Amino acid sequence: MINSDKKYPEESAGAICDRNIAVVPLGSSVTQVMQLLRSHADNYDTLDYVYVTDHANRLAGILPLRQLFMQPDSAQVDSFMTKDVTSVSAETDQEHIVNLALSKNLKSIPIVDGDNFIGVVSPHKLLKILHSEHVEDMLKSSGVIAKELSSKFSIFKQLKLRLPWLIYGAIGGLLAAGVINWFESSLKEQVLLAAFIPLVVYLADAVGTQVQTIYIRAYAFGLSKSITSIIFKEILVAAMMGAILSGLLAATIMLWFGTGLLSMIVAVSVFIGVITAGIVAVILPRLFIRLGRDPAVASGPLGTIILDVSSIIIYFIVAEAILKNFS
């Protein structure tokens, strides 16, 4: 077991790690380790591994229990322990620890303060953190900037957390209405244009949500090193999806409504809108990261407002251009 009275920042590795763990010194035999486990098993927070330290309390290796039981009693831990151990510093944020465990398929993560071994983040802690971070991101993407939306919060607290983003959404809706009103002449010329506004907006939102989810996940796992390569890849994927969707919609509208102009307007608008959504969905979270803000917020109401308004603007600009040149 490890004793430490040092205080660490909240949600850091040092603050959440388990210290009641099985620790043995280098040179211990299997018999000695087994005796330790039998005498202290009830006191351990977790017992998936036995941790081996040197004379200066530096982590030298780990022993999975399964491997321990396969060795002769006289064998020393130095001869069969795993020496290549992934560990993190005590100041590391808990979200990074979970992402590291997932990406490297680790059951637990040893924690060190400098060279000093201070504990581990155990499997049940990893699951608890993963759940907590998931709930937090889900709330943020819903426009609730709080670690938890507790039923114990007062009505005014609930309003303070939730109402601002709904107001932003209402402002976005008014902007969209203003855009539609601005292009009133196009609507008068092709009344059916109004019927396809929800479709164009939905497809842009759907693609944007997909791209933002993929990008934020890549960022969390440390995979989003090159913004240029990510934008290029997402533009390519969005262009392919846009081309397929545009083709299907153009054919369907032509057969259903018998109007080539309308099918052309919807097809071109969807194609451009989907590509634009892919670009915005990468740039917006990236901007939040550069500003030191949580990118999960960008995938919520703010992202929805921007994509809704931009897709409507694209739709009517395309409509006016096609009606002016082909009608």
Side-chain angles (χ1 to χ4, degrees), residues 5-319:
D5 296 327
K6 185 175 179 180
K7 299 297 182 182
Y8 296 96
E10 185 181 359
E11 296 188 352
S12 67
I16 63 174
C17 70
D18 294 317
R19 291 179 170 81
N20 294 329
I21 54 177
V23 181
V24 299
L26 282 170
S28 299
S29 67
V30 170
T31 299
Q32 290 173 320
V33 176
M34 296 301 294
Q35 288 175 348
L36 176 72
L37 296 180
R38 290 191 186 99
S39 59
H40 295 287
D42 291 340
N43 301 322
Y44 295 136
D45 294 323
T46 179
L47 197 54
D48 292 307
Y49 298 95
V50 175
Y51 298 87
V52 184
T53 57
D54 63 14
H55 66 282
N57 196 39
R58 292 174 298 205
L59 184 63
I62 61 172
L63 299 172
L65 287 187
R66 179 180 178 184
Q67 188 177 10
L68 181 67
F69 287 119
M70 296 170 61
Q71 306 299 322
D73 293 344
S74 60
Q76 290 190 339
V77 295
D78 313 40
S79 63
F80 61 91
M81 68 181 183
T82 301
K83 297 179 182 178
D84 185 16
V85 182
T86 299
S87 62
V88 299
S89 69
E91 289 75 24
T92 305
D93 183 79
Q94 64 178 20
E95 186 173 1
H96 175 75
I97 297 170
V98 172
N99 293 331
L100 178 65
L102 291 173
S103 63
K104 294 198 172 185
N105 195 28
L106 301 174
K107 291 183 179 179
S108 59
I109 305 290
I111 310 301
V112 295
D113 187 347
D115 289 331
N116 191 39
F117 177 50
I118 65 168
V120 299
V121 179
S122 58
H124 74 274
K125 284 280 182 71
L126 291 172
L127 287 173
K128 185 177 179 180
I129 296 167
L130 183 63
H131 172 70
S132 174
E133 295 292 342
H134 171 71
V135 170
E136 184 177 347
D137 286 347
M138 180 181 67
L139 290 173
K140 286 177 180 177
S141 67
S142 301
V144 182
I145 312 303
K147 291 183 179 178
E148 60 176 334
L149 185 59
S150 172
S151 58
K152 296 180 181 178
F153 285 172
S154 67
I155 292 175
F156 294 106
K157 180 70 171 179
Q158 298 262 13
L159 285 173
K160 183 180 178 181
L161 290 171
R162 299 161 64 182
L163 187 58
W165 286 107
L166 296 178
I167 293 174
Y168 298 151
I171 293 172
L174 291 173
L175 287 174
V179 171
I180 294 172
N181 183 62
W182 180 269
F183 291 99
E184 184 181 3
S185 59
S186 298
L187 281 174
K188 287 180 178 178
E189 190 171 344
Q190 271 282 357
V191 179
L192 273 176
L193 282 174
F196 290 92
I197 293 175
L199 173 64
V200 173
V201 171
Y202 165 75
L203 289 175
D205 282 346
V207 171
T209 299
Q210 289 177 349
V211 175
Q212 281 181 335
T213 301
I214 293 170
Y215 178 78
I216 292 172
R217 181 179 180 274
Y219 169 75
F221 280 94
L223 303 177
S224 54
K225 301 299 183 183
S226 173
I227 182 67
T228 305
S229 62
I230 291 175
I231 290 178
F232 178 78
K233 182 178 179 180
E234 291 304 328
I235 290 175
L236 182 60
V237 173
M240 293 174 67
M241 291 191 297
I244 294 171
L245 290 169
S246 297
L248 292 173
L249 287 171
T252 303
I253 293 170
M254 189 66 187
L255 291 173
W256 194 349
F257 297 97
T259 165
L261 282 178
L262 184 60
S263 64
M264 188 187 304
I265 290 169
V266 174
V268 174
S269 299
V270 167
F271 181 73
I272 298 174
V274 165
I275 295 176
T276 303
I279 296 172
V280 171
V282 174
I283 291 177
L284 195 58
R286 187 72 178 186
L287 178 62
F288 269 60
I289 293 168
R290 287 288 179 88
L291 295 174
R293 303 291 297 275
D294 194 324
V297 177
S299 64
L302 180 60
T304 301
I305 293 167
I306 293 173
L307 291 176
D308 285 356
V309 174
S310 62
S311 60
I312 291 173
I313 291 173
I314 290 169
Y315 182 49
F316 280 105
I317 288 177
V318 170

